[in-house]
Amino acid sequence: MSQNTDEMLNRCETLKTYQTPLTADCVEFCPIGEYTDFFVCGNYQLENGEKSERIGKLSLHNVSMASLDPICSVDSDAILDIKFMKSLEKPILASVESSGYFRLWAVSGLEIKYIASKQLCYDILLSCDFYDMQSAVSTSSGALVLLDVSTESLAVKSSWTPHDHEAWIVAFDRKDRNILYSGSDDCCLRMYDTRLSLGKGTLLGKKGDMGITSIQSHPFEDYLLASGSYDETVKLWDTRSTRSPIEEVCAGGGAWRLKWEPKYGKHLLAAAMHNGFHIFSSQLKKLNLAGSYMKHSSLAYGCDWFRGGFFRGENKFLVASCSMYDKALHTWSFSESVC
């Protein structure tokens, strides 16, 4: 990670910052047409009083405004993950929470409105993902849940427990609605075909030494999957051959979140916990460090790309990121040509 450090840092430039009222752990840009300048930040905070309490908040921001001050915010239970649905013409956001609740929210240019919720368990919900009108959720007990989100009843389609410890991450394959992936503190990365008996699924590679924390399927290339782990590695997999990864690089910190750049798919963004945020270029299924953003002073947790490709027509990408204990929310630009 130390190679050409100055050059990697110079490719990333801070645009705006904001101090969140609670510790911040997730960020998601809106993928819907006229709302692509908007993003939501989710918060998780443990309040230590006579009775420990987990509290949370969702805040709506616009990268085109003069500051990152929230347009609006809503209180909730502590939030572990958020995702926008991509199959509708209006922005619908899901949050998964410490109370075991899965909630849906409508996001407009001025407000976040509650739509529906369902308590899936008494465990902590850790992550979620969408494919069309179904959502997948992972829990702190190692369980996975599939939901039908086409109606406000949020019917549970199936649930099973493939992991022995916390299921930190769940993600759909971007090309096949029937294929699902999960990663856990039991050090296993698993793949499932939801048309078959669900059980333990297929193990990708060997059981590792540390927990699997992040998974994302490539937006365009079939069978290409990225995974991250507490062991500080980012791996690429060809899901047709599950014995070993086809590429592996070190992020210098636990790879808590991975996000492929959604417009062109040529870069992978990593939140590396104690080691900031990094962008890897992806060519011929090889990863090379292309940029580093080290302006957060606490755990690098949440990150996402502006969904419209180059921001404002410039030869630069836009990223939003947040970090936990310093309660920091940043937007920054990335360009492979040094500024």
Side-chain angles (χ1 to χ4, degrees), residues 5-6 12 27 44 58 76-77 114 126 155 162 165 180 201 213 222 232 254 258 266 288 291 294 311 328:
T5 299
D6 290 342
C12 300
V27 173
Y44 174 110
L58 290 172
S76 68
D77 297 322
Y114 167 81
L126 296 175
H165 300 292
L180 192 70
T213 50
D222 294 348
E232 303 186 355
L258 297 175
K266 295 181 179 180
N288 292 289
M294 307 297 287
F311 186 64

Side-chain angles (χ1 to χ4, degrees), residues 66-99:
S67 75
L68 286 183
D69 291 353
I71 299 166
C72 68
S73 63
V74 293
D75 294 330
S76 68
D77 297 322
I79 293 170
L80 281 296
D81 196 17
I82 54 177
K83 287 290 190 308
F84 274 102
M85 296 178 67
K86 301 177 179 67
S87 58
L88 299 179
E89 294 181 357
K90 56 183 180 180
I92 303 296
L93 182 81
S95 64
V96 289
E97 303 177 4
S98 60
S99 56

Side-chain angles (χ1 to χ4, degrees), residues 160 162 180 189-193 197-204:
W160 69 106
L180 192 70
L189 172 62
R190 298 189 179 276
M191 177 173 65
Y192 317 86
D193 187 329
S197 177
L198 290 170
K200 293 287 188 180
T202 299
L203 183 67
L204 272 69

Side-chain angles (χ1 to χ4, degrees), residues 20-53:
T20 61
L22 305 176
T23 51
D25 65 343
C26 48
V27 173
E28 189 83 359
F29 267 98
C30 182
I32 309 298
E34 63 184 291
Y35 296 99
T36 54
D37 283 359
F38 293 88
F39 70 91
V40 175
C41 179
N43 295 259
Y44 174 110
Q45 184 159 307
L46 180 63
E47 296 278 84
N48 292 313
E50 293 184 6
K51 183 178 180 181
S52 294
E53 181 183 12

